[in-house]
Amino acid sequence: MSSRLYSEVSQILHQAKCKKASLKTLIYASNYQNSRQLFAMVNECVKYQELLEQVLVSCPKDFTEDEEISGDKDLALVYLYEYLVGRKFGRNVGLRKLLLKYKQGIKSAVDGVLSKVNARSLSEAVRGSRSNAQKIPRYMRVNLLKSSVQTVIEDLKEEGWDYIGKLSTDSFKDSALALSEGQFGLDPFLHDVLVFAVNTDLHVHPLTVSGVLVQQDRASCVPAHVLAAPEGSVVLDCCAAPGNKTTHLASLMGDKGQVIALDRDQKRLSTLTEMVARSGATSVNPIHQDFLTVQPGSEDAKGIQMVLVDPSCSGSGMRQQIGDGDTDDALRKRLQTLKRFQISILKHALRFPDVQRVVYSTCSVHTEENEEVVTEVMAHVSEYFQFESVFPQWTGSRGLVGFPDSPCFLRLKPETDLTQGFFVACFQRVKRKQNPEAEDQNSNSGDANSLGDEKHCVSGSSERENVPNSDSVDESSGKRKRKHTDRSMNSSTGSDLVESSSENNSPQGKKRKKNEGIGVFEVAVDVEQSKSLVSGDQNIEDTSAAKNSELEDINKAKSKKKKRKKERKEEEFNEENEVVLSNSIEKEEDASCEKSEKRKKKKKKRKEENEELNEAGNNDLREGESAHSEKREKVKPFSKGTRCEKDANSVPCDPKSDAEQSSLESEKKRKKKKKKKESKEILLEDRCGQKVDEAEVSTNHAVEANGDELKVKKKKLKKRKRDDSPSS
């Protein structure tokens, strides 16, 4: 195993000690890829934690002060577990050598702890310490999307399991703990949950691997049964991950309808997606979104009929987390923070217009997260919702004493229900929230109608099983009743007020008024007051009309101001855009002018260079022509020469010898080549390192052409000389 796994486990144990979060939350928040391996090792370390801490105290100090541990007691505890109980570090040879170095000291510490608890091994000591704790059976939920309860029971029977039937509701604890190895039964309240003997291992059973059986605690199966969503309904699971309750909802609905699963943690949502795929549910729609960002009045939310609220909690109901700790200030602050969050989630769920049923559940045993949350929320929504009793036949597991609606709540405990600590409450709609126009119409109706509505809400709450009487409900909603009666009084006529006053002033009227819950608000109107009210109706109507006209004028003025502001903003925006455009255009024009000027300068430079080169070429041509003319003057083919006196018919003598003439010719050729070379170098020279201009190339061609002409002329001169020379 990698050293990173041990460090992750030590960090989770440390954070759990500091009560920053539950073990389950810390494990899912970890970045370690193999979450199953991490969960298994954390669970085992927690199981042996008490004994290992005693061993660590007796270990030599050099062990905890080693460089690999550096005084981290939680990391040392994890190393001790892996060395004494686990896989001896697997292929990690370095950590194995570290523990072998302190082998003698660790062995003596372990022997001392085992002698105290009178056990032969750590595992035996753990079994002895946990034997006094409450044993919990193994619960397996049947996935109704892949099979039926009866089919699973028959399959298990064929494998050799002993089915003892449905367990008793009155003696569930005794009958469940009496199950021996190889026996199982059916839960008396949850029709799709099978109960097996304690420590029954079904992780690798074919039915579990195939997804037919799902290992899930009995308490965790309760919320879906309480919600009781019928087939074809739209259900919202607002805090869905890791997905046990979500897939349970789809199973009970027969995969007919829609289950919207929201979670704001992408990693937890991926775990939910895997679980949904394994269950075979197609009606589940996982969405990565925070529930508090959902708009209840949107088109997508209008069809939602039922909501399951299972928010983040302290996790104190888990067996490893149950403890006192109420005096810890850090825990109190954390519970208050969680309470505010849970209240906001529950209130938001009750704002959906079409919702009929909302179930709230936590795996916590703290009152701050359970009774206090639902009671505070009900004080805000008592006009439209009421508590519905959760499994009223589940006696002995009701809410805490001191809350009027505790008989409606279900609070499960390991000691009585053989489950983890759990809390469930159910909100049922009794009155649909109306739009403002409908409320005005109802408010304009008489006192009898308004009081009749109040009687209907109270009677609806009193008809429930194990629900407090109507007095407590009336006290919680007294303010709303007063407002309702105020509206009805203002809208009624004077005669009605006279009649109501006479009835209310009579002893029977006062008695009835007190029974109807008006109590705090007594109506006492004299005849003269009623006449003044009748005469003042018209004044009230006039003043109301005047107020309406004033409001209309104010609204018109506000709308005009808004329009003016918009127009001003648009004008300012347009002006700014025009300024920006003009500036950009000016910049572009300046840039184009600069570019054109640069181009002109470059052209001028090129022209000057070309002119210089042309002048140099012309000078060279002139020099060449002058040289050629001199040659022509020197070499005159018709010079007579001097004849010899001895022989008159002899060839005229050349004043110069043949050797001198050949030397002259070679010298001339050398000079020509030199001049050509110099002219080429001048023409091909470029100061900027660029290509030679077209003008330079043309001058070069001209020089070469002149050279060719000279050659032709020379050849003609030679030929003429040969022709004119006298025959020998």
Side-chain angles (χ1 to χ4, degrees):
M1 293 185 181
S2 63
S3 57
R4 188 190 170 190
L5 173 63
Y6 305 129
S7 63
E8 286 287 335
V9 174
S10 65
Q11 290 176 9
I12 290 171
L13 293 176
H14 178 71
Q15 291 176 358
K17 279 182 183 178
C18 298
K19 298 182 179 179
K20 292 183 178 180
S22 64
L23 287 174
K24 186 177 178 182
T25 303
L26 293 170
I27 290 168
Y28 279 113
S30 174
N31 294 325
Y32 193 73
Q33 293 181 351
N34 195 342
S35 59
R36 290 186 178 181
Q37 188 182 29
L38 181 65
F39 182 84
M41 193 162 189
V42 169
N43 192 22
E44 290 297 313
C45 287
V46 170
K47 188 193 299 183
Y48 288 88
Q49 187 172 4
E50 186 177 354
L51 289 173
L52 292 175
E53 285 176 350
Q54 297 177 19
V55 172
L56 188 61
V57 170
S58 303
C59 282
K61 293 182 179 180
D62 296 340
F63 172 65
T64 55
E65 294 176 358
D66 194 272
E67 293 181 357
E68 189 68 29
I69 299 174
S70 300
D72 190 349
K73 293 184 179 180
D74 295 308
L75 185 61
L77 188 143
V78 175
Y79 286 163
L80 284 175
Y81 164 77
E82 187 66 12
Y83 176 69
L84 297 172
V85 185
R87 298 182 179 180
K88 312 291 183 186
F89 300 103
R91 297 180 182 178
N92 199 329
V93 181
L95 293 176
R96 193 184 303 118
K97 288 181 179 179
L98 171 67
L99 271 294
L100 289 172
K101 187 166 64 173
Y102 305 99
K103 181 179 179 180
Q104 294 297 329
I106 294 172
K107 187 175 182 301
S108 61
V110 171
D111 292 339
V113 172
L114 292 178
S115 63
K116 289 180 181 179
V117 296
N118 194 16
R120 291 175 294 180
S121 63
L122 290 174
S123 55
E124 183 180 346
V126 168
R127 285 196 297 270
S129 62
R130 294 174 69 86
S131 61
N132 296 327
Q134 181 60 58
K135 296 179 180 179
I136 305 243
R138 178 73 66 194
Y139 298 103
M140 302 296 291
R141 175 173 63 83
V142 178
N143 183 7
L144 301 178
L145 301 180
K146 291 192 173 184
S147 183
S148 63
V149 177
Q150 191 61 35
T151 304
V152 172
I153 292 172
E154 295 297 331
D155 293 340
L156 292 173
K157 281 183 180 180
E158 291 178 1
E159 293 179 8
W161 292 83
D162 183 14
Y163 177 61
I164 64 171
K166 190 174 182 179
L167 301 180
S168 173
T169 56
D170 298 330
S171 60
F172 172 78
K173 181 179 178 180
D174 296 334
S175 56
L177 294 176
L179 291 172
S180 60
E181 187 177 355
Q183 290 183 335
F184 73 101
L186 186 65
D187 191 278
F189 300 115
L190 312 174
H191 61 81
D192 58 346
V193 177
L194 300 177
V195 186
F196 292 83
V198 180
N199 296 328
T200 302
D201 190 5
L202 295 170
H203 287 88
V204 294
H205 194 276
L207 292 175
T208 306
V209 175
S210 62
V212 176
L213 287 179
V214 180
Q215 183 173 333
Q216 189 171 349
D217 188 68
R218 185 191 188 198
S220 181
C221 297
V222 171
H225 281 280
V226 175
L227 196 64
E231 294 182 357
S233 58
V234 180
V235 181
L236 175 63
D237 190 353
C238 60
C239 304
N244 280 326
K245 299 179 184 67
T246 307
T247 54
H248 194 193
L249 286 169
S251 175
L252 293 176
M253 292 168 62
D255 210 17
K256 295 177 182 178
Q258 188 178 7
V259 180
I260 303 170
L262 296 181
D263 203 278
R264 62 179 181 179
D265 191 343
Q266 182 62 53
K267 188 175 180 181
R268 287 167 61 85
L269 191 70
S270 61
T271 305
L272 181 143
T273 306
E274 293 175 1
M275 187 172 289
V276 169
R278 186 181 175 189
S279 68
T282 58
S283 60
V284 179
N285 184 18
I287 299 174
H288 179 215
Q289 186 177 354
D290 188 353
F291 173 64
L292 292 175
T293 62
V294 179
Q295 297 296 327
S298 62
E299 292 294 331
D300 298 334
K302 282 186 177 179
I304 295 173
Q305 301 163 344
M306 298 187 178
V307 181
L308 176 60
V309 181
D310 187 50
S312 300
C313 64
S314 62
S316 56
M318 299 175 66
R319 283 174 289 169
Q320 292 90 346
Q321 298 294 318
I322 293 177
D324 193 358
D326 288 337
T327 58
D328 193 354
D329 293 335
L331 178 62
R332 287 180 179 177
K333 291 180 181 178
R334 182 166 175 262
L335 289 176
Q336 290 301 320
T337 304
L338 288 169
K339 178 183 176 181
R340 289 192 294 270
F341 169 72
Q342 291 155 358
I343 287 172
S344 63
I345 289 280
L346 186 54
K347 280 184 178 179
H348 194 66
L350 294 167
R351 289 192 184 102
F352 286 79
D354 294 335
V355 70
Q356 299 298 319
R357 197 178 184 87
V358 176
V359 172
Y360 175 81
S361 64
T362 65
C363 55
S364 173
V365 297
H366 296 296
T367 310
E368 292 87 345
E369 300 177 272
N370 298 329
E371 285 88 356
E372 290 184 9
V373 170
V374 295
T375 303
E376 184 172 342
V377 172
M378 179 55 79
H380 295 277
V381 298
S382 59
E383 186 176 356
Y384 306 104
F385 289 92
Q386 66 182 13
F387 287 122
E388 183 173 297
S389 183
V390 177
F391 281 109
Q393 67 274 23
W394 205 322
T395 57
S397 300
R398 313 321 298 176
L400 294 178
V401 179
F403 295 90
D405 295 311
S406 286
C408 298
F409 309 146
L410 184 67
R411 178 182 273 269
L412 302 177
K413 298 177 285 294
E415 299 81 14
T416 56
D417 306 296
L418 300 180
T419 65
Q420 296 180 359
F422 213 80
F423 177 84
V424 185
C426 180
F427 292 77
Q428 180 66 41
R429 184 182 287 277
V430 294
K431 180 182 176 183
R432 186 174 179 80
K433 196 170 185 178
Q434 298 175 347
N435 54 17
E437 294 178 0
E439 287 182 356
D440 292 338
Q441 290 177 2
N442 290 334
S443 64
N444 290 329
S445 60
D447 288 326
N449 293 330
S450 62
L451 294 174
D453 293 337
E454 297 297 334
K455 287 179 181 179
H456 178 70
C457 294
V458 173
S459 63
S461 62
S462 62
E463 287 174 2
R464 296 171 293 155
E465 294 179 332
N466 298 324
V467 181
N469 56 11
S470 60
D471 294 335
S472 60
V473 179
D474 287 344
E475 290 175 359
S476 64
S477 60
K479 293 181 180 179
R480 279 179 287 276
K481 290 180 179 179
R482 274 177 259 159
K483 292 179 181 178
H484 210 66
T485 51
D486 286 339
R487 292 175 189 167
S488 61
M489 284 172 59
N490 292 330
S491 61
S492 61
T493 59
S495 59
D496 293 332
L497 288 170
V498 172
E499 292 176 1
S500 62
S501 64
S502 60
E503 290 177 357
N504 290 327
N505 290 327
S506 63
Q508 294 177 355
K510 289 181 179 179
K511 188 176 181 180
R512 186 177 67 255
K513 178 177 62 178
K514 189 173 183 181
N515 292 331
E516 289 175 352
I518 299 174
V520 181
F521 194 93
E522 292 185 358
V523 181
V525 182
D526 296 331
V527 177
E528 294 179 357
Q529 291 177 350
S530 64
K531 291 179 181 179
S532 62
L533 287 170
V534 171
S535 62
D537 284 341
Q538 295 178 355
N539 295 328
I540 291 169
E541 291 177 357
D542 296 335
T543 54
S544 63
K547 287 181 180 179
N548 291 330
S549 62
E550 289 177 359
L551 289 172
E552 289 178 358
D553 295 336
I554 292 168
N555 292 328
K556 288 180 181 179
K558 286 182 179 180
S559 62
K560 287 181 180 179
K561 286 182 181 179
K562 288 181 180 179
K563 287 181 180 179
R564 289 175 185 173
K565 285 182 180 179
K566 286 182 180 179
E567 291 175 355
R568 287 175 185 173
K569 287 181 180 179
E570 289 176 357
E571 289 175 359
E572 291 174 358
F573 180 76
N574 293 329
E575 289 175 358
E576 290 176 358
N577 288 335
E578 288 176 359
V579 171
V580 171
L581 288 171
S582 62
N583 291 332
S584 62
I585 291 167
E586 288 176 0
K587 288 180 181 179
E588 290 177 356
E589 289 177 354
D590 294 337
S592 62
C593 291
E594 290 178 358
K595 288 180 180 178
S596 62
E597 288 177 358
K598 287 180 181 179
R599 288 174 184 172
K600 288 179 181 179
K601 288 180 181 179
K602 286 182 180 179
K603 285 182 180 180
K604 285 181 181 180
K605 286 182 180 180
R606 287 179 182 175
K607 285 181 180 180
E608 290 173 359
E609 290 173 359
N610 292 332
E611 287 174 0
E612 290 176 0
L613 292 171
N614 288 328
E615 288 177 0
N618 292 329
N619 292 329
D620 292 335
L621 287 172
R622 288 168 188 168
E623 290 177 0
E625 287 178 356
S626 62
H628 289 306
S629 63
E630 288 176 358
K631 288 179 183 178
R632 280 197 296 271
E633 290 175 359
K634 290 179 181 179
V635 186
K636 289 184 179 181
F638 298 106
S639 58
K640 293 181 179 180
T642 58
R643 289 182 177 272
C644 289
E645 293 178 355
K646 294 181 179 181
D647 192 0
N649 295 324
S650 62
V651 179
C653 297
D654 195 356
K656 296 181 180 180
S657 64
D658 294 334
E660 289 176 353
Q661 288 180 0
S662 62
S663 64
L664 288 169
E665 288 178 0
S666 61
E667 191 173 346
K668 288 176 182 178
K669 288 180 180 179
R670 186 173 57 78
K671 286 181 179 180
K672 284 181 182 180
K673 288 181 180 179
K674 189 176 180 180
K675 286 181 179 180
K676 285 181 181 180
K677 190 175 181 180
E678 288 175 356
S679 63
K680 286 181 180 179
E681 287 177 357
I682 291 168
L683 293 170
L684 295 172
E685 188 173 331
D686 190 11
R687 295 177 183 176
C688 300
Q690 299 177 355
K691 293 182 180 181
V692 182
D693 199 64
E694 294 179 359
E696 296 174 355
V697 176
S698 64
T699 54
N700 193 3
H701 286 306
V703 172
E704 289 178 356
N706 292 330
D708 294 337
E709 288 178 359
L710 290 172
K711 287 181 181 180
V712 172
K713 287 180 180 180
K714 188 176 180 181
K715 286 181 181 180
K716 286 181 180 181
L717 288 170
K718 285 182 180 181
K719 188 177 180 181
R720 192 178 294 172
K721 187 177 180 181
R722 284 196 301 270
D723 294 338
D724 294 341
S725 63
S727 60
S728 55

